[in-house]
Amino acid sequence: MDGLTTADGRRLAYRRSGSGPTLVCHPGGPGFSSSYLADLGGLDAELELVLLDPRGTGESDPAPDPTGYAIDDYVSDLEELRAHLGLERMLLFGHSHGGVAGIAYAARYPERVERLILASTLPRHGKEQEAAMQAAVELRAGEPWYADAREALEAELAGNFYTGAELMELCLRMMPFYYARYGKPERAHVQSLAGEELCVDALRLWETEIFEHFDLRPQLPALTMPTLVIAGERDFIAGPTCSAELSQGIPAARTLLLPGAGHMIFVEAPEPFREAVLSFLGVGARV
């Protein structure tokens, strides 16, 4: 892992993968390291991926206190990473909560973002999003894993975890909801996460103080750079409802919904995901 020392003395780690134009990648959670992004469906064959471990995850130091995981804190870390990499303007990718950080960063520093990719993300969680999420969860009621995954999801949302290992155990149990189909590739992706510890403070702050109240819609008009909004049609958290709201607010948005995919689009639909990203960036493959 490479890394930098932030202005407040923390180590912020990242790994490089592949070669080509540099794509800075912010993972989601919050509380997950970049490891679950893997090679982003093979994007590292055409791009140099800079995969950030957000504060408190992977090999990055935690925030100075449990309140240091607000959206603006992630924005500040992204700006320090950009400066460290020597990039005048970034190609920026954010998945899930990483997309939330990406929206906030691009709104604050539009001159620093050449192109923005918002994958499986959302600008807020309101009544419409909650209704869509609950409906998507209920559609899976016939699955053999449903009862255990539902129990884990409710425990995670209630904050019933104390250590990073306990939180990861809950996440592994509820992960089937994150895929439209829980088959062999999806199970292998979940198994690859076993043994990691998540950042408890980051997720607890998000669930208890931020998730139900944040609203980035007023910032969307500031995203004047070309932006790709990409998500799975069957994403139970950030699917079509969220993508439509992003597209309506971002002036130069291009939207793509991947059929038959859930939240982890680079696992479930790697080829169309990869082709869409490369086409948007003007590199390699075309759609």
Side-chain angles (χ1 to χ4, degrees), residues 40-120:
L40 278 177
L43 280 179
D44 62 350
E46 300 279 356
L47 301 169
E48 179 193 45
L49 305 180
V50 172
L51 298 135
L52 174 66
D53 278 357
R55 53 177 58 201
T57 73
E59 296 190 25
S60 290
D61 290 338
D65 64 74
T67 65
Y69 298 93
I71 295 171
D72 283 347
D73 294 316
Y74 292 101
V75 169
S76 297
D77 283 351
L78 267 174
E79 175 60 6
E80 292 210 48
L81 176 61
R82 180 205 62 78
H84 168 77
L85 295 172
L87 298 173
E88 187 67 25
R89 300 173 74 205
M90 284 194 292
L91 301 174
L92 180 60
F93 172 93
H95 179 256
S96 195
H97 177 266
V100 172
I103 293 168
Y105 178 87
R108 185 188 298 182
Y109 301 105
E111 73 284 1
R112 300 298 192 190
V113 181
E114 182 177 351
R115 285 178 176 262
L116 177 65
I117 301 169
L118 301 175
S120 309

Side-chain angles (χ1 to χ4, degrees), residues 79-238:
E79 175 60 6
E80 292 210 48
L81 176 61
R82 180 205 62 78
H84 168 77
L85 295 172
L87 298 173
E88 187 67 25
R89 300 173 74 205
M90 284 194 292
L91 301 174
L92 180 60
F93 172 93
H95 179 256
S96 195
H97 177 266
V100 172
I103 293 168
Y105 178 87
R108 185 188 298 182
Y109 301 105
E111 73 284 1
R112 300 298 192 190
V113 181
E114 182 177 351
R115 285 178 176 262
L116 177 65
I117 301 169
L118 301 175
S120 309
T121 193
L122 69 174
R124 64 168 180 140
H125 185 78
K127 291 185 294 184
E128 302 92 332
Q129 289 78 14
E130 180 64 26
M133 177 178 171
Q134 291 303 324
V137 166
E138 291 303 328
L139 282 175
R140 314 301 292 278
E143 301 282 358
W145 46 260
Y146 175 81
D148 183 63
R150 180 69 183 261
E151 180 182 73
L153 177 63
E154 292 174 353
E156 186 267 327
L157 290 173
N160 295 337
F161 50 84
Y162 301 96
T163 69
E166 289 174 333
L167 177 55
M168 176 54 89
E169 182 181 354
L170 285 178
C171 286
L172 292 178
R173 289 171 55 199
M174 71 186 193
M175 281 296 285
F177 283 123
Y178 286 77
Y179 310 94
R181 174 183 175 275
Y182 197 48
K184 186 175 180 179
E186 294 78 20
R187 292 177 187 276
H189 185 237
V190 171
Q191 290 168 3
S192 74
L193 305 178
E196 282 204 43
E197 292 195 13
L198 304 187
C199 182
V200 169
D201 288 336
L203 188 57
R204 180 166 284 132
L205 184 72
W206 174 253
E207 297 286 16
T208 60
E209 298 187 26
I210 300 175
F211 184 55
E212 294 185 357
H213 309 290
F214 87 105
D215 189 348
L216 299 180
R217 287 177 298 172
Q219 299 182 36
L220 297 181
L223 275 57
T224 53
M225 69 291 298
T227 301
L228 175 64
V229 176
I230 184 169
E233 281 189 338
R234 295 176 59 190
D235 186 341
F236 88 113
I237 295 178

